[in-house]
Amino acid sequence: MMMNSNFQQVINRFITRIESLKFSFQLIANIIELNAKNAEKELIGFTSPFLSQEQTETELKISLQMPYEKLVDFQALGKKALQYSISSPVIKRNFIISLVSEFDIHLSLLIRTMFFVQPETIHASDKQLSFKQLLKFNSMDAAKEYLIEKEIESVLRESHNEHFKWLENRLNMKSLRDFDTLAWKNFIEITERRNLFVHCDGIISNQYINVCTENAIPLSNCKVGDQLDVSEEYFDKAYYCFFEVGVKLAHTIWRKIKPEEREIADMTLNNLCLQLIIDEEYKLSNILLDFARSEPIIKKSSQQVKLLLLLNKAQCLKWIGDMKEYRNLLLQQDWSACCDELKLAKFVLLDEYDEAYKLMKAIGNHPGKVSAIHYQEWPVFKEFRKTEQFLKAYQEIFNETFDLKPAASSFTDTESNNKN
């Protein structure tokens, strides 16, 4: 049990767990599909010698005459093919169930962290202990832990929409559901679909229809009695939705509960966006960078953080292919008072490679500055690394020929690297 967790650990845990689900989904789905095809092929190959066809005036009749001594093998192959055909949709549904479960665990850990960081929050709970119940505990901490568990249990018994309402009331905030409209609609639909998978084999119920209708969620001609399933496209949508909602929720609560940790929270969010850029998850990184640069989040951030977020927003837009927007973003900013490392990133992103060459030479090879490994791995340099200017400057600075390697880490300022 995470008795002394902090928000950074909770966020990292959530991301790691749902990333593992995304990785496993495709892997397992491919294995099952391959084995299902092989099982079907094996069954067809086994039965084909015993099939006969008869064409009548109205239809083609196909009959199977299986020798008695082949019956056991036939039944075994048929059972194997049937199991694979059934396991594919069942396994895919279970991934959605697991994804929602991970979010629920994430939420419970956020609430637990909130109570331990800000103990007075529990005072608003309507959970009470009688004197007789209190005597059963060895300490006040044990009693407090019991009340926290009861509070979390009562919250999680409600719908996911009610979870957010509870948090808004407890934290005196009215913005926890201010996600992108599509993200919130997807979140509600996914959680309702999960309920169908758990309780009624994915068969659409009136409750599912009503909840979707209340939240203006398109139903694509779905009706009561239809059975829902999970495609690869649907799971990806669910993964990105839960990633976005889970991270935004955690960072909003973190800044509300621990404003003194804003710098850590800012760098945690910035570095997460950078890692997503490295993983070429540009769409998700772009969404989270917009969140990180939104007024409620960034208004109290340092100028260094604001510039880092701007640079990473710009490089994300560049790799997406939004050339006009990323250039406007960089050109509208005054860079005159910035450190050389940030100016270098700006020159590189604007493809001003001659200026970047000069600045590389000026930065040189000094402790605490941009090192050889940074030039090798930071994604902001991925196009610059292919140029004559970069290769020449790298050779002159480090007295070695640059060996092009795939990016492996993120661009961030040296100072924040030292802190982390």
Side-chain angles (χ1 to χ4, degrees), residues 175 252 255 262 291-301:
S175 59
T252 303
R255 285 162 169 77
R262 169 168 291 278
F291 168 72
R293 299 179 69 243
S294 63
E295 184 61 24
I297 299 298
I298 204 173
K299 63 181 179 181
K300 295 183 180 179
S301 300

Side-chain angles (χ1 to χ4, degrees), residues 1 5 73 122 129 132 196 226 234 240 262 282 285 300 312 339 344 349 379 391 415:
M1 185 177 296
S5 175
D73 291 339
I122 193 64
L129 292 176
K132 182 179 179 180
L196 295 181
D226 289 348
Y234 183 85
Y240 289 121
R262 169 168 291 278
Y282 301 128
S285 180
K300 295 183 180 179
N312 288 300
C339 64
L344 176 60
L349 288 173
L391 296 174
E415 187 176 325

